[in-house]
Amino acid sequence: HHQRFASSSASSWPTKAFETLMTTTLPFVGLIKKMVEIGDVFEEEDFNPHDYGLKVPSPEWMQRKESNATNVATDVLEEDACAVKYEEVLKQGKDTFEDSELYRRLVLRFALYRAFKRIADVPTEENGKKIKKDFKEARATAKRILEEEDLGNSTYSGSNSNNSDGDDGTKDQVEGEHDDDNDDEHPVFDASAFAHALGNSPPRVVELFTVKQSYEYYLKLLDELEVIVERLYDSVATTMTHLELSSDDFFRKCRDITDRDFLALSRSVAAYVSTVGGSTDSHLSIASVDLCLRSVYAQFPDKAKLNDSTQQLSAFKREPFEYVSGEIKKGNYNAVTMTCEETGRQTDGDPMEILATFKDECQRTCSFLARAYFAAPARRRRKLHRCLDELSHLQVSCSHMDALGVASLFLNQNINEGNDIDADKTHEFCARAFQLWASRVVANAQFDILKVGFQCELYKNYELASVYWYMDNLLLHVLNTDRYIADAFNNNAEEVTEQSKDTYREAQIFRSRSNAAQCVLAALEKLGLIKMPKHTFTLATAEARFFQRFAHFQANVDPVPLFWDDYEMHVRDHEKYPAGILLRLAHGHLQPVIEYLSDQIESLQKNGDSADALRAKRIASLSFAKAKCARLSATCKLLSALPEDGLRAMWTVDVVQPFSSSSPSPSCSSLPSSKNEEKDDVFFALSASRAK
């Protein structure tokens, strides 16, 4: 029947349009499948296209063969077979069929194809602009189709109600029974029924999307992909250029995407883009070693950095690794003595070999961390654990780079002119610059491991104090590193960057909340309101759990690993105070935080564009944190005024952890929360109620 229809209507536009939709579907699916495979963020069998799936054509190449930040090659869509088909059929049907549903579906498909094809290409600023235009067209088309779908459904329902007015009501009864049957029989996809085509796929049955749900999915996907493009490309969200992007900036972009509840496909695209098609030596089309060298260079204050009087700064910005390699070839390095691990013999180290090893470690570090951040929480935690071992090798390589004296190549040769700088402190910093940067990377990775543990609901209530304490120490390590660098160059308040100030403020807020949380937990433990593990089972003791949580951190020598004895020394400070005083201390820790958050919210509300999405997200996040702090502070103040005996006998106090799958308590239900806001907050809430 289909062949007779096609032959008799071969010249009609609807037939050509439908044929175009069908013939371009498999190449489009093949493109997305390849990106998902390269992204490598799938978990177990749920989203693993390597092992099963329809046999779709794999794209011959996904990126332009010649492209870099300064010389952009031809558009990747030029002479693309699918793009040519779309353009031709849309041009033929524009005058006659522009208002038809089939035409709009073609417009949507073409816009999505263009967007994904360009996303698969090298990420450049120009590419980002074109992708955003494709997103805009696709979103407008999907919304219009949804509106027409809703209008059609309402019209159909109205006509049914008008036609069902029978004399005896028999028609109403029959149709009503038929509708009830349809409600219970949703269309489903049974993988076992298509085993011959899908191969080794998991035997499961999933409910298929309705037309409306499909287009709602498109809208959600487009919103998420637009965020990814804004964060990872040089577009609206950042003024960072390719000549300034560092590994710290890159990982910050990755974390910002991680803190959102994105679809697996969106996270796959983010992983693909960040590694430029799975490349281990390039991220956002920049070599990994260049990203890392820029991060080391960024530690220097402006007054100490290279200037462009001898064109050194321009050479470094363009290709940091080539600049360093060229200087070493000129003999600008310190002699290094290397010790063989197997024989113990000492030999003169080859500077170029040291540099090559550092390049390899940078490639591995950036690739592993980028892929880890876009995985689902449980898999992200496991990947970050494995990254710590790789980072230990990076730290060794950084110590060799410091011994080689590479950091001194970043110094302004006339640094002492007009600057009150201690030369000895400056040289001491240069002898540690690479190691300081690496320790900061390690500290951030360890902090992220502990943070994602809350999302996975791993921690028992009696573990929370030790987790907050360890996170507090990691932040203190980063702050001490910043303070050491400022002292090395005798920086004054005016020379501290806004980014450093923001980092300091956020760290201080976290530390104040951490101290308050630890006081509350210590008070509840004294009151017997937190169940401690029984000592009959060795692996369930608090000490055993401590070792289990932080054992992986011993793979790295900097930050210095902390042990149970260190934590016990800290806990003794709380043991000498009664529960009431600890609760009042918690209340005191939270008051400055609430005042600061209020000032920040008021400042953001007064200044800036009210339609700015990033600003609105920031205000919502601060408001959520403020409400949570205010509620905990008020609860601590209330409980501290009660006698301990009465508190034990007549009150029930529960610790409500963040991301808890249990239903929220009444005391927490009024918080203005959302998933995105909660992902930035790892602190618990208290539910206190008086027994009847």
Side-chain angles (χ1 to χ4, degrees), residues 243 293-294 297 303-328 330-333 405-415:
L243 297 181
L293 286 171
R294 286 172 184 162
Y297 174 76
K303 64 183 179 183
K305 291 179 180 178
L306 288 171
N307 58 35
D308 216 15
S309 58
T310 59
Q311 302 299 316
Q312 289 179 311
L313 180 60
S314 299
F316 175 81
K317 281 189 172 183
R318 284 194 303 272
E319 294 179 301
F321 182 76
E322 293 301 324
Y323 167 77
V324 172
S325 179
E327 291 295 317
I328 289 179
K330 294 176 184 178
N332 296 329
Y333 65 90
V406 175
S408 61
L409 299 176
F410 304 154
L411 272 177
N412 184 348
Q413 300 301 318
N414 301 319
I415 185 174

Short mmCIF file of all heavy atoms in Angstrom, two decimals, residues 243 293-294 297 303-328 330-333 405-415:
data_model
loop_
_atom_site.label_atom_id
_atom_site.label_comp_id
_atom_site.label_asym_id
_atom_site.label_seq_id
_atom_site.Cartn_x
_atom_site.Cartn_y
_atom_site.Cartn_z
N LEU A 243 42.67 32.70 24.88
CA LEU A 243 44.03 33.04 25.28
C LEU A 243 44.14 33.26 26.79
O LEU A 243 45.23 33.53 27.29
CB LEU A 243 44.49 34.30 24.54
CG LEU A 243 44.59 34.18 23.02
CD1 LEU A 243 45.08 35.49 22.41
CD2 LEU A 243 45.51 33.04 22.62
N LEU A 293 49.28 25.31 32.68
CA LEU A 293 50.31 26.33 32.80
C LEU A 293 49.70 27.70 33.06
O LEU A 293 50.25 28.51 33.82
CB LEU A 293 51.18 26.36 31.54
CG LEU A 293 52.16 25.20 31.37
CD1 LEU A 293 52.80 25.24 29.98
CD2 LEU A 293 53.24 25.25 32.45
N ARG A 294 48.56 28.00 32.46
CA ARG A 294 47.89 29.27 32.71
C ARG A 294 47.39 29.37 34.14
O ARG A 294 47.35 30.45 34.73
CB ARG A 294 46.74 29.46 31.73
CG ARG A 294 47.19 29.80 30.32
CD ARG A 294 46.04 29.78 29.34
NE ARG A 294 46.49 30.02 27.98
CZ ARG A 294 45.79 29.72 26.90
NH1 ARG A 294 44.60 29.17 27.03
NH2 ARG A 294 46.26 29.97 25.70
N TYR A 297 50.35 30.22 36.22
CA TYR A 297 50.68 31.62 35.95
C TYR A 297 49.69 32.56 36.64
O TYR A 297 50.07 33.63 37.12
CB TYR A 297 50.66 31.84 34.44
CG TYR A 297 50.83 33.27 33.99
CD1 TYR A 297 52.07 33.88 34.02
CD2 TYR A 297 49.74 34.01 33.52
CE1 TYR A 297 52.24 35.19 33.60
CE2 TYR A 297 49.90 35.31 33.09
CZ TYR A 297 51.14 35.90 33.14
OH TYR A 297 51.30 37.19 32.73
N LYS A 303 51.38 42.57 39.39
CA LYS A 303 52.65 43.32 39.43
C LYS A 303 53.87 42.42 39.25
O LYS A 303 54.96 42.90 38.96
CB LYS A 303 52.75 44.07 40.76
CG LYS A 303 52.81 43.18 41.98
CD LYS A 303 52.85 44.00 43.26
CE LYS A 303 52.88 43.10 44.51
NZ LYS A 303 52.84 43.92 45.75
N ALA A 304 53.68 41.10 39.43
CA ALA A 304 54.81 40.18 39.33
C ALA A 304 54.83 39.41 38.03
O ALA A 304 55.80 38.70 37.75
CB ALA A 304 54.79 39.21 40.51
N LYS A 305 53.77 39.52 37.22
CA LYS A 305 53.68 38.73 36.00
C LYS A 305 54.55 39.31 34.89
O LYS A 305 54.99 40.46 34.94
CB LYS A 305 52.22 38.65 35.53
CG LYS A 305 51.32 37.84 36.42
CD LYS A 305 49.89 37.84 35.88
CE LYS A 305 48.97 37.02 36.76
NZ LYS A 305 47.56 37.06 36.27
N LEU A 306 54.73 38.49 33.86
CA LEU A 306 55.44 38.93 32.67
C LEU A 306 54.78 40.18 32.09
O LEU A 306 53.56 40.33 32.12
CB LEU A 306 55.41 37.84 31.60
CG LEU A 306 56.26 36.58 31.82
CD1 LEU A 306 55.91 35.55 30.75
CD2 LEU A 306 57.74 36.92 31.74
N ASN A 307 55.59 41.07 31.56
CA ASN A 307 55.02 42.19 30.80
C ASN A 307 55.34 41.98 29.33
O ASN A 307 56.09 41.08 28.96
CB ASN A 307 55.54 43.54 31.30
CG ASN A 307 57.05 43.63 31.22
OD1 ASN A 307 57.67 43.10 30.30
ND2 ASN A 307 57.66 44.30 32.19
N ASP A 308 54.77 42.81 28.48
CA ASP A 308 54.91 42.60 27.04
C ASP A 308 55.99 43.48 26.42
O ASP A 308 55.99 43.72 25.22
CB ASP A 308 53.57 42.86 26.36
CG ASP A 308 53.34 41.90 25.19
OD1 ASP A 308 54.07 40.89 25.13
OD2 ASP A 308 52.45 42.16 24.38
N SER A 309 56.91 43.95 27.28
CA SER A 309 57.95 44.82 26.74
C SER A 309 58.87 44.07 25.78
O SER A 309 59.41 44.64 24.84
CB SER A 309 58.78 45.41 27.89
OG SER A 309 59.35 44.35 28.67
N THR A 310 59.03 42.77 26.03
CA THR A 310 59.89 41.96 25.14
C THR A 310 59.07 40.90 24.40
O THR A 310 59.62 39.90 23.96
CB THR A 310 60.99 41.27 25.96
OG1 THR A 310 60.37 40.45 26.96
CG2 THR A 310 61.89 42.29 26.63
N GLN A 311 57.76 41.10 24.29
CA GLN A 311 56.85 40.18 23.60
C GLN A 311 56.75 38.82 24.29
O GLN A 311 56.20 37.87 23.72
CB GLN A 311 57.29 39.97 22.14
CG GLN A 311 57.37 41.24 21.31
CD GLN A 311 56.02 41.95 21.21
OE1 GLN A 311 55.00 41.32 21.00
NE2 GLN A 311 56.03 43.27 21.38
N GLN A 312 57.26 38.72 25.51
CA GLN A 312 57.19 37.44 26.22
C GLN A 312 55.76 37.09 26.60
O GLN A 312 55.34 35.94 26.50
CB GLN A 312 58.07 37.49 27.48
CG GLN A 312 59.56 37.49 27.20
CD GLN A 312 60.36 37.57 28.47
OE1 GLN A 312 60.11 38.42 29.33
NE2 GLN A 312 61.35 36.70 28.59
N LEU A 313 55.01 38.09 27.06
CA LEU A 313 53.63 37.83 27.49
C LEU A 313 52.77 37.35 26.33
O LEU A 313 52.00 36.40 26.47
CB LEU A 313 53.03 39.10 28.11
CG LEU A 313 51.58 38.98 28.60
CD1 LEU A 313 51.46 37.91 29.67
CD2 LEU A 313 51.08 40.32 29.14
N SER A 314 52.91 37.97 25.18
CA SER A 314 52.13 37.54 24.01
C SER A 314 52.48 36.12 23.61
O SER A 314 51.61 35.31 23.28
CB SER A 314 52.39 38.49 22.83
OG SER A 314 51.99 39.81 23.15
N ALA A 315 53.76 35.78 23.66
CA ALA A 315 54.19 34.43 23.31
C ALA A 315 53.63 33.41 24.31
O ALA A 315 53.19 32.33 23.91
CB ALA A 315 55.71 34.36 23.29
N PHE A 316 53.64 33.78 25.58
CA PHE A 316 53.11 32.85 26.60
C PHE A 316 51.60 32.67 26.44
O PHE A 316 51.09 31.54 26.53
CB PHE A 316 53.43 33.38 28.00
CG PHE A 316 52.82 32.55 29.09
CD1 PHE A 316 53.41 31.37 29.50
CD2 PHE A 316 51.63 32.92 29.69
CE1 PHE A 316 52.84 30.58 30.50
CE2 PHE A 316 51.05 32.15 30.68
CZ PHE A 316 51.66 30.98 31.08
N LYS A 317 50.87 33.74 26.22
CA LYS A 317 49.41 33.65 26.09
C LYS A 317 49.00 32.79 24.90
O LYS A 317 48.04 32.03 24.98
CB LYS A 317 48.80 35.05 25.97
CG LYS A 317 48.67 35.78 27.30
CD LYS A 317 47.87 37.05 27.12
CE LYS A 317 47.55 37.70 28.46
NZ LYS A 317 46.71 38.90 28.31
N ARG A 318 49.73 32.93 23.80
CA ARG A 318 49.37 32.16 22.60
C ARG A 318 49.60 30.67 22.82
O ARG A 318 48.70 29.86 22.61
CB ARG A 318 50.17 32.65 21.39
CG ARG A 318 49.70 33.96 20.79
CD ARG A 318 50.32 34.16 19.40
NE ARG A 318 51.77 34.12 19.46
CZ ARG A 318 52.55 35.17 19.68
NH1 ARG A 318 52.00 36.36 19.88
NH2 ARG A 318 53.87 35.06 19.71
N GLU A 319 50.78 30.30 23.24
CA GLU A 319 51.14 28.89 23.42
C GLU A 319 52.05 28.76 24.64
O GLU A 319 53.28 28.77 24.51
CB GLU A 319 51.83 28.34 22.18
CG GLU A 319 50.92 28.28 20.95
CD GLU A 319 51.66 27.74 19.73
OE1 GLU A 319 52.66 28.37 19.35
OE2 GLU A 319 51.23 26.71 19.20
N PRO A 320 51.46 28.63 25.83
CA PRO A 320 52.28 28.56 27.05
C PRO A 320 53.33 27.44 27.02
O PRO A 320 54.47 27.66 27.43
CB PRO A 320 51.24 28.32 28.15
CG PRO A 320 49.97 28.88 27.60
CD PRO A 320 50.02 28.62 26.13
N PHE A 321 52.93 26.26 26.57
CA PHE A 321 53.87 25.14 26.58
C PHE A 321 55.04 25.40 25.63
O PHE A 321 56.19 25.10 25.97
CB PHE A 321 53.15 23.84 26.19
CG PHE A 321 54.03 22.63 26.23
CD1 PHE A 321 54.38 22.05 27.43
CD2 PHE A 321 54.52 22.08 25.05
CE1 PHE A 321 55.22 20.93 27.47
CE2 PHE A 321 55.34 20.96 25.08
CZ PHE A 321 55.69 20.39 26.30
N GLU A 322 54.75 25.93 24.44
CA GLU A 322 55.83 26.22 23.50
C GLU A 322 56.76 27.30 24.04
O GLU A 322 57.98 27.25 23.82
CB GLU A 322 55.24 26.65 22.14
CG GLU A 322 54.50 25.54 21.42
CD GLU A 322 55.38 24.35 21.13
OE1 GLU A 322 56.58 24.57 20.82
OE2 GLU A 322 54.90 23.21 21.21
N TYR A 323 56.18 28.27 24.76
CA TYR A 323 57.01 29.33 25.36
C TYR A 323 57.97 28.73 26.39
O TYR A 323 59.18 29.01 26.39
CB TYR A 323 56.12 30.38 26.01
CG TYR A 323 56.87 31.35 26.91
CD1 TYR A 323 57.65 32.38 26.37
CD2 TYR A 323 56.82 31.20 28.29
CE1 TYR A 323 58.34 33.25 27.20
CE2 TYR A 323 57.51 32.07 29.13
CZ TYR A 323 58.27 33.09 28.58
OH TYR A 323 58.96 33.95 29.40
N VAL A 324 57.43 27.89 27.31
CA VAL A 324 58.26 27.28 28.34
C VAL A 324 59.31 26.36 27.70
O VAL A 324 60.49 26.37 28.08
CB VAL A 324 57.38 26.49 29.34
CG1 VAL A 324 58.25 25.68 30.30
CG2 VAL A 324 56.48 27.43 30.11
N SER A 325 58.89 25.57 26.72
CA SER A 325 59.82 24.67 26.04
C SER A 325 60.95 25.45 25.37
O SER A 325 62.13 25.06 25.45
CB SER A 325 59.06 23.84 25.00
OG SER A 325 59.94 22.97 24.32
N GLY A 326 60.61 26.57 24.74
CA GLY A 326 61.63 27.39 24.09
C GLY A 326 62.63 27.97 25.07
O GLY A 326 63.84 28.02 24.80
N GLU A 327 62.13 28.43 26.23
CA GLU A 327 63.03 29.00 27.24
C GLU A 327 63.97 27.94 27.81
O GLU A 327 65.14 28.21 28.08
CB GLU A 327 62.20 29.62 28.37
CG GLU A 327 61.43 30.86 27.97
CD GLU A 327 62.37 32.01 27.59
OE1 GLU A 327 63.37 32.21 28.29
OE2 GLU A 327 62.09 32.67 26.57
N ILE A 328 63.45 26.72 28.00
CA ILE A 328 64.30 25.65 28.53
C ILE A 328 65.37 25.27 27.51
O ILE A 328 66.53 25.00 27.85
CB ILE A 328 63.44 24.43 28.91
CG1 ILE A 328 62.62 24.76 30.17
CG2 ILE A 328 64.30 23.20 29.15
CD1 ILE A 328 61.71 23.64 30.62
N LYS A 330 66.77 27.24 25.60
CA LYS A 330 67.78 28.30 25.67
C LYS A 330 68.69 28.16 26.88
O LYS A 330 69.65 28.91 27.03
CB LYS A 330 67.10 29.67 25.71
CG LYS A 330 66.33 30.04 24.45
CD LYS A 330 65.62 31.37 24.64
CE LYS A 330 64.76 31.73 23.44
NZ LYS A 330 64.02 33.02 23.65
N GLY A 331 68.36 27.22 27.78
CA GLY A 331 69.17 27.01 28.97
C GLY A 331 68.65 27.70 30.21
O GLY A 331 69.35 27.75 31.23
N ASN A 332 67.44 28.25 30.15
CA ASN A 332 66.87 28.95 31.31
C ASN A 332 66.18 27.96 32.24
O ASN A 332 64.95 27.86 32.29
CB ASN A 332 65.87 30.02 30.84
CG ASN A 332 66.54 31.10 30.03
OD1 ASN A 332 67.71 31.42 30.25
ND2 ASN A 332 65.81 31.67 29.09
N TYR A 333 66.97 27.19 32.97
CA TYR A 333 66.41 26.24 33.94
C TYR A 333 67.48 25.89 34.96
O TYR A 333 68.67 26.16 34.77
CB TYR A 333 65.92 24.97 33.23
CG TYR A 333 67.01 24.15 32.56
CD1 TYR A 333 67.67 23.14 33.26
CD2 TYR A 333 67.37 24.39 31.24
CE1 TYR A 333 68.67 22.38 32.66
CE2 TYR A 333 68.37 23.64 30.64
CZ TYR A 333 69.01 22.65 31.34
OH TYR A 333 70.00 21.92 30.75
N GLY A 405 62.73 25.05 38.04
CA GLY A 405 62.68 26.52 38.07
C GLY A 405 61.80 27.11 37.00
O GLY A 405 62.01 28.27 36.59
N VAL A 406 60.78 26.36 36.54
CA VAL A 406 59.92 26.84 35.45
C VAL A 406 59.11 28.06 35.88
O VAL A 406 58.89 28.99 35.08
CB VAL A 406 58.98 25.71 34.98
CG1 VAL A 406 57.99 26.23 33.93
CG2 VAL A 406 59.78 24.56 34.40
N ALA A 407 58.67 28.10 37.14
CA ALA A 407 57.82 29.20 37.58
C ALA A 407 58.52 30.55 37.49
O ALA A 407 57.87 31.59 37.29
CB ALA A 407 57.35 28.95 39.02
N SER A 408 59.85 30.56 37.62
CA SER A 408 60.58 31.83 37.53
C SER A 408 60.49 32.43 36.13
O SER A 408 60.73 33.64 35.94
CB SER A 408 62.04 31.63 37.92
OG SER A 408 62.66 30.70 37.05
N LEU A 409 60.13 31.61 35.12
CA LEU A 409 59.96 32.13 33.76
C LEU A 409 58.74 33.01 33.64
O LEU A 409 58.60 33.75 32.66
CB LEU A 409 59.84 30.96 32.76
CG LEU A 409 61.03 30.00 32.67
CD1 LEU A 409 60.71 28.85 31.73
CD2 LEU A 409 62.27 30.74 32.20
N PHE A 410 57.82 32.94 34.62
CA PHE A 410 56.60 33.74 34.58
C PHE A 410 56.77 35.08 35.28
O PHE A 410 55.86 35.90 35.27
CB PHE A 410 55.45 32.99 35.26
CG PHE A 410 55.18 31.62 34.69
CD1 PHE A 410 54.60 30.63 35.45
CD2 PHE A 410 55.52 31.33 33.38
CE1 PHE A 410 54.35 29.37 34.93
CE2 PHE A 410 55.28 30.07 32.84
CZ PHE A 410 54.70 29.08 33.62
N LEU A 411 57.93 35.29 35.91
CA LEU A 411 58.14 36.50 36.68
C LEU A 411 58.55 37.67 35.79
O LEU A 411 59.30 37.50 34.82
CB LEU A 411 59.24 36.28 37.72
CG LEU A 411 58.84 35.74 39.09
CD1 LEU A 411 60.08 35.54 39.94
CD2 LEU A 411 57.87 36.67 39.80
N ASN A 412 58.08 38.84 36.15
CA ASN A 412 58.53 40.07 35.52
C ASN A 412 59.99 40.30 35.91
O ASN A 412 60.34 40.27 37.09
CB ASN A 412 57.65 41.23 36.00
CG ASN A 412 58.00 42.54 35.31
OD1 ASN A 412 59.02 42.65 34.64
ND2 ASN A 412 57.14 43.52 35.49
N GLN A 413 60.84 40.52 34.93
CA GLN A 413 62.27 40.69 35.21
C GLN A 413 62.56 41.94 36.02
O GLN A 413 63.57 42.02 36.73
CB GLN A 413 63.05 40.74 33.88
CG GLN A 413 62.90 39.49 33.04
CD GLN A 413 63.37 38.24 33.78
OE1 GLN A 413 64.39 38.26 34.46
NE2 GLN A 413 62.60 37.16 33.67
N ASN A 414 61.67 42.92 35.95
CA ASN A 414 61.86 44.17 36.69
C ASN A 414 60.91 44.24 37.88
O ASN A 414 60.38 45.30 38.22
CB ASN A 414 61.62 45.37 35.78
CG ASN A 414 62.56 45.36 34.57
OD1 ASN A 414 63.74 45.04 34.71
ND2 ASN A 414 62.03 45.72 33.40
N ILE A 415 60.71 43.12 38.54
CA ILE A 415 59.70 43.04 39.59
C ILE A 415 60.05 43.91 40.79
O ILE A 415 59.17 44.44 41.47
CB ILE A 415 59.53 41.57 40.04
CG1 ILE A 415 58.40 41.46 41.05
CG2 ILE A 415 60.80 40.99 40.59
CD1 ILE A 415 58.08 40.04 41.44
#
